[in-house]
Amino acid sequence: MCGIVGVVSHNPVNQLIYDALLLLQHRGQDAAGIATSHANMFYMHKANGLVRDVFRTRNMRSLQGNIGIGQCRYPTAGSASAEEAQPFYVNAPFGITLAHNGNLTNWEQLKIEMFKNDRRHINTSSDSEVLLNVLAHEIQQATSGYSLDPAALFKAVAILHKRVRGSYAVVAQISGYGLLAFRDPYGIRPLCIGFNDTDKGTEYVVASESVALEGLGFRFLRDVMPGEAIFIDNDGQLYNQQCAENPTLNPCAFEYVYFARPDSVIDGASVYAARLKMGEYLADKIKREFTAGDIDVVMPIPDSSRPAAMELALKLNLDYREGFIKNRYIGRTFLMPGQAIRAKSVRQKLNAIGSEFKGKSVLLVDDSIVRGTTSREIVQMARDSGAKRVIFASAAPPVKFPNVYGIDMPTRNELIAYGRSTEEVCREITADALVYQDIEALKRSISDVNPALRNFEASCFDGVYVTGDISRDYLDRIEFARNNPQPESDDAVRSQLNLNLAQVD
């Protein structure tokens, strides 16, 4: 999962991009990068770390130009190497830098095609570098290496849509021409555009979430449509075209559950309003399964479950209390590698207020339960603080399947609900009772906010992969690769490449 931003302005954009990345920091905390363009030259700085740590005054001064892109990264494909921080760059044709949010499901096959047919060298194991090279190749084919116009760009994106599978929201800058942005034909990952009218003309920002536009003082224009490409030239002229044959909108349901900021609006649905609705529907289910007096107090697990917990307490006419205080300087435990690290960090991240628990039957509300490590620790913290009974509720359905579209849920055996009933999960997290949101209720929570949203990418809950190319064999392969990491020596890479090429032949 990543946050991306692209800016076309009449003034230097380095500070705007930096500020946008701070607003998108929740989408990726491992690495950050900015690339700008001035006088047909690119200026780039990227490294591992939080945005505030990656960029110093000297780095910002070097990022010249009135057009640029940026990204904050959490890796779901490739490695955590600083070399795989984005943006990526290729020098032909024209010179292109690219930042990508999502995950390509056929990037390994594309990498082989790049080597064998397109004569392009991929230097990392990042699917984003593959995506950049596919784009560069198709632009070269569309222009024959000569002048570039919006029609040629849109033709290149149309062919890219036919070659690439998976999820992708992209911003790219083309040296001497302008900013290109596009979204996959299923609209899985979010992307929106904002504008600002100035004395010199209109400025534009393209970003993963609307909160980045508003934080920069830009006005929200609209979401980029599935399969659509937008090109903004260096003079601020905007062009757009639908480049996919049969686009459909399937926004990722987990964006609304957990990932996106509550003050964002994604595809016309307020994230905050959707989370309130999740609380409403969860309250209906709890009302059916428990009797009056079973619950004394409702408490959220900070922060993303707070709207659902508040609405649930209101609908059930129960007391709402903040029983846990969050240390905001600890990273998201869901994103932390390794069960032991996550378990240890929960106690550093949350501290219980003992007086709120003592002698009470407590309903704890979380946004979701993924691996269960955090939930188990939180239940134990509630008991240690004197809770008489601990009931756990998830505003999302059971996470039973890997997410292959850009969220780090790749291994079935890591998911606590995989192959387990609700009762078995309840025992695993040591709660007295457990309530999950129903999948249809989750979808209604979002469509109630925007009735135009009818279909969702909810594969981690229902196992339905909207791109249609995910098989059990594919899931087995990515799980094997995750569980058996191999050092990639030059000989190993060559051997694997030769094997893959033989399979293609």
Side-chain angles (χ1 to χ4, degrees), residues 42 56 79 89 100 179 192 210 212 409 500 503:
F42 285 130
R56 302 297 184 188
S79 72
Y89 163 75
H100 161 225
L179 178 76
C192 60
S210 61
M409 300 177 186
N500 290 337
Q503 291 172 345

Short mmCIF file of all heavy atoms in Angstrom, two decimals, residues 42 56 79 89 100 179 192 210 212 409 500 503:
data_model
loop_
_atom_site.label_atom_id
_atom_site.label_comp_id
_atom_site.label_asym_id
_atom_site.label_seq_id
_atom_site.Cartn_x
_atom_site.Cartn_y
_atom_site.Cartn_z
N PHE A 42 15.45 15.99 -14.68
CA PHE A 42 14.81 15.47 -13.49
C PHE A 42 15.71 15.68 -12.28
O PHE A 42 16.94 15.57 -12.37
CB PHE A 42 14.52 13.98 -13.63
CG PHE A 42 13.36 13.67 -14.54
CD1 PHE A 42 13.50 12.72 -15.54
CD2 PHE A 42 12.14 14.30 -14.37
CE1 PHE A 42 12.44 12.41 -16.38
CE2 PHE A 42 11.07 14.00 -15.21
CZ PHE A 42 11.22 13.06 -16.21
N ARG A 56 15.64 16.56 3.97
CA ARG A 56 16.26 17.65 4.71
C ARG A 56 16.26 18.89 3.82
O ARG A 56 15.93 18.84 2.64
CB ARG A 56 17.70 17.28 5.11
CG ARG A 56 17.80 16.02 5.95
CD ARG A 56 17.09 16.17 7.29
NE ARG A 56 17.26 14.99 8.14
CZ ARG A 56 16.62 14.81 9.29
NH1 ARG A 56 15.76 15.74 9.69
NH2 ARG A 56 16.81 13.72 10.00
N SER A 79 11.26 -5.86 -2.40
CA SER A 79 11.88 -5.90 -1.08
C SER A 79 11.78 -4.54 -0.43
O SER A 79 11.23 -3.60 -0.97
CB SER A 79 13.36 -6.30 -1.23
OG SER A 79 14.08 -5.22 -1.81
N TYR A 89 12.80 5.69 -12.50
CA TYR A 89 13.15 6.52 -13.66
C TYR A 89 13.67 5.66 -14.81
O TYR A 89 14.40 4.69 -14.59
CB TYR A 89 14.24 7.52 -13.25
CG TYR A 89 15.00 8.15 -14.40
CD1 TYR A 89 14.41 9.15 -15.18
CD2 TYR A 89 16.30 7.75 -14.72
CE1 TYR A 89 15.09 9.73 -16.23
CE2 TYR A 89 16.99 8.32 -15.76
CZ TYR A 89 16.38 9.31 -16.53
OH TYR A 89 17.06 9.89 -17.58
N HIS A 100 3.70 4.55 -8.13
CA HIS A 100 2.60 3.59 -8.32
C HIS A 100 2.06 3.15 -6.97
O HIS A 100 2.82 2.87 -6.04
CB HIS A 100 3.17 2.38 -9.11
CG HIS A 100 2.37 1.13 -9.01
ND1 HIS A 100 2.96 -0.11 -8.78
CD2 HIS A 100 1.04 0.88 -9.12
CE1 HIS A 100 2.03 -1.04 -8.78
NE2 HIS A 100 0.86 -0.47 -8.98
N LEU A 179 2.50 15.88 -16.91
CA LEU A 179 2.14 14.86 -15.93
C LEU A 179 1.06 13.94 -16.48
O LEU A 179 0.04 14.39 -16.98
CB LEU A 179 1.63 15.53 -14.65
CG LEU A 179 1.18 14.59 -13.52
CD1 LEU A 179 2.39 14.00 -12.81
CD2 LEU A 179 0.31 15.35 -12.53
N CYS A 192 -7.61 10.68 -7.19
CA CYS A 192 -8.50 11.82 -7.42
C CYS A 192 -7.68 13.03 -7.86
O CYS A 192 -6.45 13.05 -7.75
CB CYS A 192 -9.31 12.15 -6.17
SG CYS A 192 -8.33 12.59 -4.72
N SER A 210 -8.46 12.42 -1.17
CA SER A 210 -8.89 13.82 -1.23
C SER A 210 -8.31 14.66 -0.11
O SER A 210 -8.16 15.88 -0.26
CB SER A 210 -10.42 13.89 -1.19
OG SER A 210 -10.93 13.34 0.02
N ALA A 212 -5.35 14.92 0.79
CA ALA A 212 -4.11 15.54 0.35
C ALA A 212 -4.39 16.81 -0.46
O ALA A 212 -3.63 17.78 -0.39
CB ALA A 212 -3.29 14.56 -0.48
N MET A 409 -1.47 -8.88 2.89
CA MET A 409 -2.13 -10.06 3.46
C MET A 409 -1.89 -11.25 2.55
O MET A 409 -2.82 -11.86 2.03
CB MET A 409 -3.64 -9.84 3.56
CG MET A 409 -4.10 -8.68 4.38
SD MET A 409 -5.90 -8.57 4.26
CE MET A 409 -6.19 -7.06 5.13
N ASN A 500 12.51 -19.45 -16.68
CA ASN A 500 11.24 -18.81 -17.02
C ASN A 500 11.11 -18.63 -18.54
O ASN A 500 10.04 -18.81 -19.11
CB ASN A 500 11.13 -17.45 -16.34
CG ASN A 500 10.94 -17.57 -14.85
OD1 ASN A 500 10.49 -18.60 -14.37
ND2 ASN A 500 11.29 -16.53 -14.11
N GLN A 503 10.13 -21.81 -20.11
CA GLN A 503 8.72 -22.09 -19.92
C GLN A 503 7.86 -21.30 -20.89
O GLN A 503 6.84 -21.79 -21.36
CB GLN A 503 8.32 -21.78 -18.47
CG GLN A 503 8.94 -22.74 -17.46
CD GLN A 503 8.71 -22.30 -16.03
OE1 GLN A 503 8.35 -21.16 -15.78
NE2 GLN A 503 8.94 -23.19 -15.10
#
